[in-house]
Amino acid sequence: MKKNYVCLERINRRLVNILDSLELHICIFNSMEQKEIVEFIYNLQNRGRKNELGVDRFQHIFLEHTYSKQKKWMCGKGHVTIQFICCYNYAVEKNRIPLGILRNVIADPIPNIFKLMIKQLITSHVLPINCVPDSCIINIYEPGDCILPHIDSHDFVRPFSTVSFLNEYNIMFGHKLKSVGPGEFIGSASIPLPVGFMLVLNGNGDDLAKHCIPTVSYKRISVTFRKMDKAKQPHNFKLD
Ligand code: PD2
Ligand code: MN
């Protein structure tokens, strides 16, 4: 079961469905699965805090982007991200490396529990077989955190998908998304993301409309699966 959306916005004098191709797949992960996934993520977060993630056991190098706090996104204390396979560099001002997938860094492999989630997404036709995700990013939000309006980088191909855990929150979409205060935005569509539901972003719903997560009042976790553009993969990337 999935939901599609219509939200008309006038762009260059034409009415366009900015949510064309956006899909919300209902009840993909049940409460038992959610509990197991969330516990696994808490464990990852603890290991990240102790600098135990992103350590290349063979080359003894520490990959600082695997576990990080995204201060650039400005709301609250900055949500935590944990990235697998590739590390996306958001901190352009800090490290002067261009925005995008870091080409000379490989993050930790995707843990089995997330591979099983990917398998479930493919076998239940939430994602097409020609777009099997090969990377994964976890966002952990504390009360006060938000994500500013953006369109996901084209270093990742479409479609890609994201699932919420712990608490339901709204994602906001709009061709024009206006900031009206810290972590507060006005857009043309606000879509609830119930826990365990899978949002698939594609077409206008990702490329014409920006999206953002307004400030959350309760802890929230999201897991996003994306397939890298072949030309943007890290140099040492080998498909698992
Ligand atoms: O946390 C999310 O649900 C979410 C939704 C859309 C995160 C992102 N985009 C992102 O990190 O780009
Ligand atoms: Mn996004």
Side-chain angles (χ1 to χ4, degrees), residues 7-94:
C7 174
L8 297 175
E9 224 178 296
R10 196 170 288 283
I11 302 171
N12 297 332
R13 297 196 189 162
R14 277 184 47 231
L15 273 182
V16 181
N17 179 11
I18 57 150
L19 300 185
D20 165 54
S21 302
L22 190 79
E23 295 174 353
L24 185 66
H25 292 257
I26 294 168
C27 300
I28 298 299
F29 300 104
N30 64 33
S31 50
M32 287 275 285
E33 291 166 327
Q34 288 175 36
K35 190 165 175 282
E36 200 182 329
I37 293 162
V38 167
E39 271 168 20
F40 186 83
I41 292 172
Y42 281 152
N43 189 265
L44 283 174
Q45 188 176 15
N46 284 335
R47 288 173 52 208
R49 285 195 186 114
K50 291 190 267 178
N51 289 344
E52 288 174 10
L53 292 182
V55 179
D56 186 319
R57 272 170 291 139
F58 301 104
Q59 296 181 50
H60 303 290
I61 48 172
F62 177 65
L63 310 172
E64 66 170 313
H65 296 272
T66 300
Y67 175 90
S68 48
K69 286 206 127 207
Q70 302 300 336
K71 293 203 185 64
K72 181 187 171 269
W73 297 74
M74 276 185 341
C75 321
K77 294 196 184 111
H79 67 280
V80 165
T81 62
I82 305 172
Q83 307 189 61
F84 294 100
I85 293 294
C86 71
C87 286
Y88 189 87
N89 177 44
Y90 301 95
V92 186
E93 290 92 16
K94 194 171 137 199

Side-chain angles (χ1 to χ4, degrees), residues 150 152 160 211:
H150 67 281
D152 277 52
F160 64 90
H211 57 264

Side-chain angles (χ1 to χ4, degrees), residues 28-29 117 161-165 194-199 220-225:
I28 298 299
F29 300 104
M117 289 170 75
S161 59
T162 188
V163 55
S164 298
F165 295 110
V195 292
F197 286 28
M198 206 78 214
L199 185 75
R220 171 178 184 262
I221 293 176
S222 72
V223 180
T224 301
F225 296 111

Side-chain angles (χ1 to χ4, degrees), residues 35-219:
K35 190 165 175 282
E36 200 182 329
I37 293 162
V38 167
E39 271 168 20
F40 186 83
I41 292 172
Y42 281 152
N43 189 265
L44 283 174
Q45 188 176 15
N46 284 335
R47 288 173 52 208
R49 285 195 186 114
K50 291 190 267 178
N51 289 344
E52 288 174 10
L53 292 182
V55 179
D56 186 319
R57 272 170 291 139
F58 301 104
Q59 296 181 50
H60 303 290
I61 48 172
F62 177 65
L63 310 172
E64 66 170 313
H65 296 272
T66 300
Y67 175 90
S68 48
K69 286 206 127 207
Q70 302 300 336
K71 293 203 185 64
K72 181 187 171 269
W73 297 74
M74 276 185 341
C75 321
K77 294 196 184 111
H79 67 280
V80 165
T81 62
I82 305 172
Q83 307 189 61
F84 294 100
I85 293 294
C86 71
C87 286
Y88 189 87
N89 177 44
Y90 301 95
V92 186
E93 290 92 16
K94 194 171 137 199
N95 55 24
R96 300 196 178 175
I97 301 170
L99 203 68
I101 295 175
L102 294 169
R103 304 296 302 281
N104 51 5
V105 165
I106 287 272
D108 286 357
I110 299 179
N112 275 340
I113 190 166
F114 299 133
K115 285 188 187 160
L116 287 173
M117 289 170 75
I118 293 174
K119 196 170 169 190
Q120 201 168 328
L121 296 178
I122 300 293
T123 52
S124 52
H125 304 286
V126 172
L127 289 175
I129 186 75
N130 63 357
C131 200
V132 179
D134 53 20
S135 68
C136 166
I137 176 166
I138 298 166
N139 288 313
I140 304 172
Y141 304 77
E142 296 297 335
D145 290 340
C146 76
I147 288 197
L148 298 181
H150 67 281
I151 287 177
D152 277 52
S153 163
H154 280 271
D155 284 8
F156 300 97
V157 299
R158 274 55 173 157
F160 64 90
S161 59
T162 188
V163 55
S164 298
F165 295 110
L166 291 180
N167 285 296
E168 171 174 321
Y169 266 94
N170 284 20
I171 184 168
M172 193 170 272
F173 286 90
H175 180 63
K176 301 168 202 84
L177 263 183
K178 229 171 88 184
S179 172
V180 287
E184 286 177 48
F185 308 94
I186 294 181
S188 44
S190 182
I191 295 178
L193 297 177
V195 292
F197 286 28
M198 206 78 214
L199 185 75
V200 176
L201 293 105
N202 202 0
N204 289 353
D206 187 55
D207 288 329
L208 199 57
K210 291 182 183 165
H211 57 264
C212 67
I213 305 282
T215 298
V216 304
S217 339
Y218 301 99
K219 192 172 176 118

